[in-house]
mmCIF file with all atom_site columns, all heavy atoms in Angstrom:
data_model
loop_
_atom_site.group_PDB
_atom_site.id
_atom_site.type_symbol
_atom_site.label_atom_id
_atom_site.label_alt_id
_atom_site.label_comp_id
_atom_site.label_asym_id
_atom_site.label_entity_id
_atom_site.label_seq_id
_atom_site.pdbx_PDB_ins_code
_atom_site.Cartn_x
_atom_site.Cartn_y
_atom_site.Cartn_z
_atom_site.occupancy
_atom_site.B_iso_or_equiv
_atom_site.pdbx_formal_charge
_atom_site.auth_seq_id
_atom_site.auth_comp_id
_atom_site.auth_asym_id
_atom_site.auth_atom_id
_atom_site.pdbx_PDB_model_num
ATOM 1   N N   . ASN A 1 133 ? 19.001 -10.133 -20.393 1.00 98.00 ? 1333 ASN A N   1
ATOM 2   C CA  . ASN A 1 133 ? 18.729 -8.791  -19.857 1.00 98.00 ? 1333 ASN A CA  1
ATOM 3   C C   . ASN A 1 133 ? 17.864 -7.983  -20.819 1.00 98.00 ? 1333 ASN A C   1
ATOM 4   O O   . ASN A 1 133 ? 16.871 -7.366  -20.422 1.00 98.00 ? 1333 ASN A O   1
ATOM 5   C CB  . ASN A 1 133 ? 20.046 -8.035  -19.616 1.00 98.00 ? 1333 ASN A CB  1
ATOM 6   C CG  . ASN A 1 133 ? 20.564 -8.216  -18.193 1.00 98.00 ? 1333 ASN A CG  1
ATOM 7   O OD1 . ASN A 1 133 ? 19.810 -8.548  -17.278 1.00 98.00 ? 1333 ASN A OD1 1
ATOM 8   N ND2 . ASN A 1 133 ? 21.847 -8.009  -18.000 1.00 98.00 ? 1333 ASN A ND2 1
ATOM 9   N N   . ASP A 1 134 ? 18.237 -7.982  -22.078 1.00 98.00 ? 1334 ASP A N   1
ATOM 10  C CA  . ASP A 1 134 ? 17.489 -7.207  -23.077 1.00 98.00 ? 1334 ASP A CA  1
ATOM 11  C C   . ASP A 1 134 ? 16.070 -7.740  -23.253 1.00 98.00 ? 1334 ASP A C   1
ATOM 12  O O   . ASP A 1 134 ? 15.116 -6.969  -23.437 1.00 98.00 ? 1334 ASP A O   1
ATOM 13  C CB  . ASP A 1 134 ? 18.223 -7.232  -24.426 1.00 98.00 ? 1334 ASP A CB  1
ATOM 14  C CG  . ASP A 1 134 ? 19.538 -6.461  -24.386 1.00 98.00 ? 1334 ASP A CG  1
ATOM 15  O OD1 . ASP A 1 134 ? 19.659 -5.547  -23.549 1.00 98.00 ? 1334 ASP A OD1 1
ATOM 16  O OD2 . ASP A 1 134 ? 20.447 -6.782  -25.180 1.00 98.00 ? 1334 ASP A OD2 1
ATOM 17  N N   . ILE A 1 135 ? 15.936 -9.053  -23.207 1.00 98.00 ? 1335 ILE A N   1
ATOM 18  C CA  . ILE A 1 135 ? 14.604 -9.654  -23.364 1.00 98.00 ? 1335 ILE A CA  1
ATOM 19  C C   . ILE A 1 135 ? 13.710 -9.288  -22.188 1.00 98.00 ? 1335 ILE A C   1
ATOM 20  O O   . ILE A 1 135 ? 12.523 -8.980  -22.361 1.00 98.00 ? 1335 ILE A O   1
ATOM 21  C CB  . ILE A 1 135 ? 14.737 -11.184 -23.531 1.00 98.00 ? 1335 ILE A CB  1
ATOM 22  C CG1 . ILE A 1 135 ? 15.415 -11.497 -24.869 1.00 98.00 ? 1335 ILE A CG1 1
ATOM 23  C CG2 . ILE A 1 135 ? 13.369 -11.862 -23.435 1.00 98.00 ? 1335 ILE A CG2 1
ATOM 24  C CD1 . ILE A 1 135 ? 15.744 -12.964 -25.067 1.00 98.00 ? 1335 ILE A CD1 1
ATOM 25  N N   . TRP A 1 136 ? 14.260 -9.298  -20.963 1.00 98.00 ? 1336 TRP A N   1
ATOM 26  C CA  . TRP A 1 136 ? 13.460 -8.935  -19.780 1.00 98.00 ? 1336 TRP A CA  1
ATOM 27  C C   . TRP A 1 136 ? 13.065 -7.463  -19.829 1.00 98.00 ? 1336 TRP A C   1
ATOM 28  O O   . TRP A 1 136 ? 11.938 -7.107  -19.499 1.00 98.00 ? 1336 TRP A O   1
ATOM 29  C CB  . TRP A 1 136 ? 14.231 -9.264  -18.510 1.00 98.00 ? 1336 TRP A CB  1
ATOM 30  C CG  . TRP A 1 136 ? 13.742 -10.510 -17.835 1.00 98.00 ? 1336 TRP A CG  1
ATOM 31  C CD1 . TRP A 1 136 ? 13.136 -10.602 -16.618 1.00 98.00 ? 1336 TRP A CD1 1
ATOM 32  C CD2 . TRP A 1 136 ? 13.786 -11.849 -18.349 1.00 98.00 ? 1336 TRP A CD2 1
ATOM 33  N NE1 . TRP A 1 136 ? 12.814 -11.907 -16.346 1.00 98.00 ? 1336 TRP A NE1 1
ATOM 34  C CE2 . TRP A 1 136 ? 13.201 -12.695 -17.386 1.00 98.00 ? 1336 TRP A CE2 1
ATOM 35  C CE3 . TRP A 1 136 ? 14.270 -12.428 -19.525 1.00 98.00 ? 1336 TRP A CE3 1
ATOM 36  C CZ2 . TRP A 1 136 ? 13.081 -14.064 -17.561 1.00 98.00 ? 1336 TRP A CZ2 1
ATOM 37  C CZ3 . TRP A 1 136 ? 14.158 -13.791 -19.706 1.00 98.00 ? 1336 TRP A CZ3 1
ATOM 38  C CH2 . TRP A 1 136 ? 13.563 -14.589 -18.743 1.00 98.00 ? 1336 TRP A CH2 1
ATOM 39  N N   . LYS A 1 137 ? 13.985 -6.601  -20.244 1.00 98.00 ? 1337 LYS A N   1
ATOM 40  C CA  . LYS A 1 137 ? 13.654 -5.175  -20.375 1.00 98.00 ? 1337 LYS A CA  1
ATOM 41  C C   . LYS A 1 137 ? 12.519 -4.981  -21.382 1.00 98.00 ? 1337 LYS A C   1
ATOM 42  O O   . LYS A 1 137 ? 11.584 -4.203  -21.150 1.00 98.00 ? 1337 LYS A O   1
ATOM 43  C CB  . LYS A 1 137 ? 14.881 -4.388  -20.831 1.00 98.00 ? 1337 LYS A CB  1
ATOM 44  C CG  . LYS A 1 137 ? 15.939 -4.210  -19.758 1.00 98.00 ? 1337 LYS A CG  1
ATOM 45  C CD  . LYS A 1 137 ? 17.159 -3.504  -20.335 1.00 98.00 ? 1337 LYS A CD  1
ATOM 46  C CE  . LYS A 1 137 ? 18.287 -3.437  -19.316 1.00 98.00 ? 1337 LYS A CE  1
ATOM 47  N NZ  . LYS A 1 137 ? 19.523 -2.864  -19.915 1.00 98.00 ? 1337 LYS A NZ  1
ATOM 48  N N   . GLU A 1 138 ? 12.598 -5.682  -22.481 1.00 98.00 ? 1338 GLU A N   1
ATOM 49  C CA  . GLU A 1 138 ? 11.562 -5.582  -23.509 1.00 98.00 ? 1338 GLU A CA  1
ATOM 50  C C   . GLU A 1 138 ? 10.209 -6.045  -22.965 1.00 98.00 ? 1338 GLU A C   1
ATOM 51  O O   . GLU A 1 138 ? 9.182  -5.384  -23.173 1.00 98.00 ? 1338 GLU A O   1
ATOM 52  C CB  . GLU A 1 138 ? 11.960 -6.430  -24.717 1.00 98.00 ? 1338 GLU A CB  1
ATOM 53  C CG  . GLU A 1 138 ? 10.928 -6.473  -25.829 1.00 98.00 ? 1338 GLU A CG  1
ATOM 54  C CD  . GLU A 1 138 ? 11.328 -7.471  -26.906 1.00 98.00 ? 1338 GLU A CD  1
ATOM 55  O OE1 . GLU A 1 138 ? 11.030 -8.679  -26.747 1.00 98.00 ? 1338 GLU A OE1 1
ATOM 56  O OE2 . GLU A 1 138 ? 11.932 -7.030  -27.900 1.00 98.00 ? 1338 GLU A OE2 1
ATOM 57  N N   . ALA A 1 139 ? 10.207 -7.174  -22.272 1.00 98.00 ? 1339 ALA A N   1
ATOM 58  C CA  . ALA A 1 139 ? 8.952  -7.719  -21.747 1.00 98.00 ? 1339 ALA A CA  1
ATOM 59  C C   . ALA A 1 139 ? 8.318  -6.763  -20.734 1.00 98.00 ? 1339 ALA A C   1
ATOM 60  O O   . ALA A 1 139 ? 7.114  -6.503  -20.770 1.00 98.00 ? 1339 ALA A O   1
ATOM 61  C CB  . ALA A 1 139 ? 9.198  -9.087  -21.110 1.00 98.00 ? 1339 ALA A CB  1
ATOM 62  N N   . TYR A 1 140 ? 9.127  -6.230  -19.834 1.00 98.00 ? 1340 TYR A N   1
ATOM 63  C CA  . TYR A 1 140 ? 8.590  -5.348  -18.800 1.00 98.00 ? 1340 TYR A CA  1
ATOM 64  C C   . TYR A 1 140 ? 8.217  -3.972  -19.342 1.00 98.00 ? 1340 TYR A C   1
ATOM 65  O O   . TYR A 1 140 ? 7.400  -3.273  -18.735 1.00 98.00 ? 1340 TYR A O   1
ATOM 66  C CB  . TYR A 1 140 ? 9.571  -5.230  -17.634 1.00 98.00 ? 1340 TYR A CB  1
ATOM 67  C CG  . TYR A 1 140 ? 9.398  -6.331  -16.622 1.00 98.00 ? 1340 TYR A CG  1
ATOM 68  C CD1 . TYR A 1 140 ? 10.079 -7.544  -16.756 1.00 98.00 ? 1340 TYR A CD1 1
ATOM 69  C CD2 . TYR A 1 140 ? 8.525  -6.190  -15.556 1.00 98.00 ? 1340 TYR A CD2 1
ATOM 70  C CE1 . TYR A 1 140 ? 9.909  -8.570  -15.843 1.00 98.00 ? 1340 TYR A CE1 1
ATOM 71  C CE2 . TYR A 1 140 ? 8.341  -7.211  -14.629 1.00 98.00 ? 1340 TYR A CE2 1
ATOM 72  C CZ  . TYR A 1 140 ? 9.029  -8.398  -14.777 1.00 98.00 ? 1340 TYR A CZ  1
ATOM 73  O OH  . TYR A 1 140 ? 8.842  -9.425  -13.881 1.00 98.00 ? 1340 TYR A OH  1
ATOM 74  N N   . SER A 1 141 ? 8.781  -3.591  -20.477 1.00 97.00 ? 1341 SER A N   1
ATOM 75  C CA  . SER A 1 141 ? 8.402  -2.307  -21.069 1.00 97.00 ? 1341 SER A CA  1
ATOM 76  C C   . SER A 1 141 ? 6.948  -2.313  -21.539 1.00 97.00 ? 1341 SER A C   1
ATOM 77  O O   . SER A 1 141 ? 6.349  -1.256  -21.754 1.00 97.00 ? 1341 SER A O   1
ATOM 78  C CB  . SER A 1 141 ? 9.320  -1.982  -22.259 1.00 97.00 ? 1341 SER A CB  1
ATOM 79  O OG  . SER A 1 141 ? 9.042  -2.829  -23.371 1.00 97.00 ? 1341 SER A OG  1
ATOM 80  N N   . GLU A 1 142 ? 6.364  -3.486  -21.669 1.00 98.00 ? 1342 GLU A N   1
ATOM 81  C CA  . GLU A 1 142 ? 4.979  -3.620  -22.115 1.00 98.00 ? 1342 GLU A CA  1
ATOM 82  C C   . GLU A 1 142 ? 3.991  -3.601  -20.940 1.00 98.00 ? 1342 GLU A C   1
ATOM 83  O O   . GLU A 1 142 ? 2.784  -3.673  -21.140 1.00 98.00 ? 1342 GLU A O   1
ATOM 84  C CB  . GLU A 1 142 ? 4.824  -4.926  -22.902 1.00 98.00 ? 1342 GLU A CB  1
ATOM 85  C CG  . GLU A 1 142 ? 5.697  -4.969  -24.156 1.00 98.00 ? 1342 GLU A CG  1
ATOM 86  C CD  . GLU A 1 142 ? 5.761  -6.355  -24.790 1.00 98.00 ? 1342 GLU A CD  1
ATOM 87  O OE1 . GLU A 1 142 ? 5.081  -7.269  -24.271 1.00 98.00 ? 1342 GLU A OE1 1
ATOM 88  O OE2 . GLU A 1 142 ? 6.495  -6.520  -25.777 1.00 98.00 ? 1342 GLU A OE2 1
ATOM 89  N N   . VAL A 1 143 ? 4.536  -3.523  -19.716 1.00 97.00 ? 1343 VAL A N   1
ATOM 90  C CA  . VAL A 1 143 ? 3.690  -3.518  -18.516 1.00 97.00 ? 1343 VAL A CA  1
ATOM 91  C C   . VAL A 1 143 ? 3.691  -2.118  -17.920 1.00 97.00 ? 1343 VAL A C   1
ATOM 92  O O   . VAL A 1 143 ? 4.740  -1.494  -17.762 1.00 97.00 ? 1343 VAL A O   1
ATOM 93  C CB  . VAL A 1 143 ? 4.224  -4.532  -17.479 1.00 97.00 ? 1343 VAL A CB  1
ATOM 94  C CG1 . VAL A 1 143 ? 3.370  -4.492  -16.217 1.00 97.00 ? 1343 VAL A CG1 1
ATOM 95  C CG2 . VAL A 1 143 ? 4.237  -5.936  -18.051 1.00 97.00 ? 1343 VAL A CG2 1
ATOM 96  N N   . GLU A 1 144 ? 2.528  -1.628  -17.584 1.00 97.00 ? 1344 GLU A N   1
ATOM 97  C CA  . GLU A 1 144 ? 2.402  -0.276  -17.072 1.00 97.00 ? 1344 GLU A CA  1
ATOM 98  C C   . GLU A 1 144 ? 2.882  -0.136  -15.631 1.00 97.00 ? 1344 GLU A C   1
ATOM 99  O O   . GLU A 1 144 ? 2.578  -0.951  -14.771 1.00 97.00 ? 1344 GLU A O   1
ATOM 100 C CB  . GLU A 1 144 ? 0.927  0.156   -17.151 1.00 97.00 ? 1344 GLU A CB  1
ATOM 101 C CG  . GLU A 1 144 ? 0.669  1.602   -16.770 1.00 97.00 ? 1344 GLU A CG  1
ATOM 102 C CD  . GLU A 1 144 ? -0.798 1.976   -16.890 1.00 97.00 ? 1344 GLU A CD  1
ATOM 103 O OE1 . GLU A 1 144 ? -1.596 1.129   -17.346 1.00 97.00 ? 1344 GLU A OE1 1
ATOM 104 O OE2 . GLU A 1 144 ? -1.149 3.109   -16.518 1.00 97.00 ? 1344 GLU A OE2 1
ATOM 105 N N   . ASN A 1 145 ? 3.695  0.883   -15.389 1.00 98.00 ? 1345 ASN A N   1
ATOM 106 C CA  . ASN A 1 145 ? 4.067  1.355   -14.055 1.00 98.00 ? 1345 ASN A CA  1
ATOM 107 C C   . ASN A 1 145 ? 4.891  0.375   -13.224 1.00 98.00 ? 1345 ASN A C   1
ATOM 108 O O   . ASN A 1 145 ? 4.887  0.442   -11.992 1.00 98.00 ? 1345 ASN A O   1
ATOM 109 C CB  . ASN A 1 145 ? 2.833  1.785   -13.258 1.00 98.00 ? 1345 ASN A CB  1
ATOM 110 C CG  . ASN A 1 145 ? 3.164  2.909   -12.283 1.00 98.00 ? 1345 ASN A CG  1
ATOM 111 O OD1 . ASN A 1 145 ? 4.079  3.695   -12.519 1.00 98.00 ? 1345 ASN A OD1 1
ATOM 112 N ND2 . ASN A 1 145 ? 2.429  2.988   -11.185 1.00 98.00 ? 1345 ASN A ND2 1
ATOM 113 N N   . VAL A 1 146 ? 5.618  -0.541  -13.870 1.00 98.00 ? 1346 VAL A N   1
ATOM 114 C CA  . VAL A 1 146 ? 6.574  -1.393  -13.170 1.00 98.00 ? 1346 VAL A CA  1
ATOM 115 C C   . VAL A 1 146 ? 7.875  -1.404  -13.964 1.00 98.00 ? 1346 VAL A C   1
ATOM 116 O O   . VAL A 1 146 ? 7.864  -1.602  -15.180 1.00 98.00 ? 1346 VAL A O   1
ATOM 117 C CB  . VAL A 1 146 ? 6.058  -2.841  -13.001 1.00 98.00 ? 1346 VAL A CB  1
ATOM 118 C CG1 . VAL A 1 146 ? 7.159  -3.741  -12.441 1.00 98.00 ? 1346 VAL A CG1 1
ATOM 119 C CG2 . VAL A 1 146 ? 4.858  -2.877  -12.073 1.00 98.00 ? 1346 VAL A CG2 1
ATOM 120 N N   . THR A 1 147 ? 8.979  -1.164  -13.284 1.00 98.00 ? 1347 THR A N   1
ATOM 121 C CA  . THR A 1 147 ? 10.294 -1.180  -13.915 1.00 98.00 ? 1347 THR A CA  1
ATOM 122 C C   . THR A 1 147 ? 11.087 -2.367  -13.391 1.00 98.00 ? 1347 THR A C   1
ATOM 123 O O   . THR A 1 147 ? 11.248 -2.525  -12.173 1.00 98.00 ? 1347 THR A O   1
ATOM 124 C CB  . THR A 1 147 ? 11.065 0.124   -13.623 1.00 98.00 ? 1347 THR A CB  1
ATOM 125 O OG1 . THR A 1 147 ? 10.334 1.230   -14.170 1.00 98.00 ? 1347 THR A OG1 1
ATOM 126 C CG2 . THR A 1 147 ? 12.455 0.094   -14.245 1.00 98.00 ? 1347 THR A CG2 1
#
Side-chain angles (χ1 to χ4, degrees):
N1333 268 338
D1334 292 335
I1335 292 173
W1336 257 246
K1337 287 176 186 175
E1338 177 187 85
Y1340 274 88
S1341 71
E1342 299 169 3
V1343 178
E1344 186 179 356
N1345 211 28
V1346 172
T1347 298

